[in-house]
Amino acid sequence: MPWFVVYTKPRNEKKVAEQLEKLGITAYCPMTIQVRQWSDRKKKVEVPLLNSYVFVQLAEADRKLVFEVPGIVRYLFWLGEPAIVRDEEIKTLQNWLSLDFAELEVKSLKPGDTIMLKEGAFKNQEARIKTISKNKMQLVLTSLGILVTLTTAAVSPNLK
């Protein structure tokens, strides 16, 4: 069965995914951990990787079932057809989110450099460094046409 992308109301992604699962629909809402700071404390919170998007896996004939869940706005369309995400892309996303980037280290890389990723979910993908800051690096994965932000103290020299 194909994966479709549904657009949700803001900040409803996790709740929508849970309710879809209760209906028996396979749903995936990629989550990531971020450190949020308030005036009196810092806290790690789980937030959606893709704001307002949830992936659902169901047959084409069952597409209307998702609208039984409050918080779903519409399907995402591409060229007049509902956008379909390949199974391998979902698995790549899941693998990437399971990686621990805490052991990476930045060495002599600068914006504009092109690198070949040698490890992880995006192995053998070519990427262009968009920005580097103290604890973040943005990579543009050329072949996939996506921007990936690595939040870490550093990025491995093995990426070159």
Side-chain angles (χ1 to χ4, degrees):
M1 283 191 288
W3 286 91
F4 296 99
V5 184
V6 292
Y7 185 76
T8 68
K9 291 180 180 177
R11 300 178 189 228
N12 277 247
E13 304 89 349
K14 192 173 179 181
K15 190 184 306 181
V16 163
E18 290 169 359
Q19 291 177 355
L20 286 167
E21 291 286 345
K22 285 180 185 175
L23 284 177
I25 298 171
T26 305
Y28 176 55
C29 179
M31 303 293 281
T32 185
I33 305 288
Q34 288 185 353
V35 177
R36 297 280 171 99
Q37 183 168 349
W38 286 264
S39 60
D40 60 339
R41 69 189 186 284
K42 287 184 180 182
K43 186 175 179 181
K44 289 183 180 180
V45 293
E46 189 177 45
V47 296
L49 180 67
L50 305 167
N51 293 332
S52 295
Y53 292 109
V54 174
F55 300 100
V56 293
Q57 187 178 35
L58 52 111
E60 178 79 31
D62 297 331
R63 278 193 25 232
K64 291 183 181 179
L65 292 175
V66 300
F67 294 109
E68 293 178 18
V69 174
I72 292 182
V73 178
R74 61 181 172 83
Y75 278 96
L76 182 69
F77 280 77
W78 174 256
L79 299 174
E81 297 288 326
I84 294 177
V85 180
R86 296 184 317 232
D87 219 19
E88 63 202 42
E89 293 169 326
I90 296 291
K91 287 178 183 167
T92 299
L93 188 56
Q94 290 170 334
N95 289 339
W96 181 73
L97 288 173
S98 69
L99 296 177
D100 181 16
F101 292 108
E103 300 175 12
L104 301 176
E105 179 184 345
V106 172
K107 296 254 178 160
S108 69
L109 296 174
K110 60 187 182 305
D113 286 352
T114 300
I115 58 175
M116 181 64 72
L117 303 175
K118 294 185 178 181
E119 297 175 7
F122 296 114
K123 184 177 181 177
N124 298 326
Q125 294 286 327
E126 187 175 283
R128 183 179 45 81
I129 299 173
K130 184 174 180 181
T131 62
I132 299 176
S133 66
K134 182 178 177 184
N135 61 356
K136 287 185 182 179
M137 176 185 274
Q138 288 186 328
L139 302 175
V140 177
L141 298 180
T142 322
S143 63
L144 298 176
I146 61 172
L147 177 71
V148 176
T149 302
L150 303 177
T151 305
T152 181
V155 177
S156 171
N158 294 336
L159 297 177
K160 288 185 177 178

